[in-house]
Amino acid sequence: MDVQGLGKQEAKSLKAKDAICRAAISCLVEFGYAETSITRVAERASLSKGALQHHFPTKEELIAAVVETLLARPLARAHTVRPESGRADTEIIAARLRSGWTDFVNTGSYRALLEILVAARTDGGLRNRIDPILQTWNRAHDAQTRESYEAASGEDDDVELLMVMHRALLRGLVVQDRYVSDPSFNARVVERWISIVAPMLRPRRR
């Protein structure tokens, strides 16, 4: 969180919001969505309930801020892929696809996001609050993907389709983890998937 150039009060407010969001993420991972209350998050953030609600009056407002925080990380991660000396295009793409699993999806933070997504299926108020955030993120991510990659097939639509398939597979593996006892299984699935998809993509030359 960059607070340079902000006034003292504004910087203090941003730091407080960041601490609250981090506390909410921690609660979501540990307790799930239903048990993540304003009171519980306030306790974890070492704040009074009133202080927390000064920044986020309702649970929906807090969760919307958490979603924005969680989704900002992969977009800010400089998704642009450039050719690298001594590395084949397939190796570059494979490394980027792999990082989507290791650095973003296979994390506690992503499991917090998944808790929210599952809850939004039946919670209409939550769904209406976060759907615009998710759709804006998806459009930005798709645009970033098109700027970064091109398809070996020469079809621009293939880039978007392949990356949607990639994200869907990684999301599904978080759930699949409950069905298997071998902790290395998901990593093997990811590597096999990458071996299929990486040759279909290449860095877009500028």
Side-chain angles (χ1 to χ4, degrees), residues 63-98:
I63 295 302
V66 168
V67 170
E68 290 178 331
T69 297
L70 293 171
L71 292 179
R73 189 160 57 95
L75 282 182
R77 201 182 45 177
H79 202 68
T80 300
V81 179
R82 296 184 176 87
E84 300 174 24
S85 176
R87 297 187 73 190
D89 285 353
T90 300
E91 293 175 341
I92 298 169
I93 299 297
R96 179 56 62 179
L97 295 177
R98 188 176 298 112

Side-chain angles (χ1 to χ4, degrees), residues 93-132:
I93 299 297
R96 179 56 62 179
L97 295 177
R98 188 176 298 112
S99 75
W101 172 250
T102 59
D103 300 339
F104 180 55
V105 176
N106 192 29
T107 64
S109 293
Y110 189 82
R111 284 167 173 78
L113 178 60
L114 194 61
E115 284 286 333
I116 298 168
L117 297 178
V118 171
R121 187 184 72 82
T122 54
D123 186 328
L126 176 63
R127 183 172 61 252
N128 291 337
R129 185 63 183 83
I130 70 170
D131 272 2

Side-chain angles (χ1 to χ4, degrees), residues 33-47:
Y33 179 82
E35 298 300 320
T36 295
S37 64
I38 290 288
T39 299
R40 177 164 267 164
V41 174
E43 290 174 353
R44 183 148 298 190
S46 299
L47 294 171

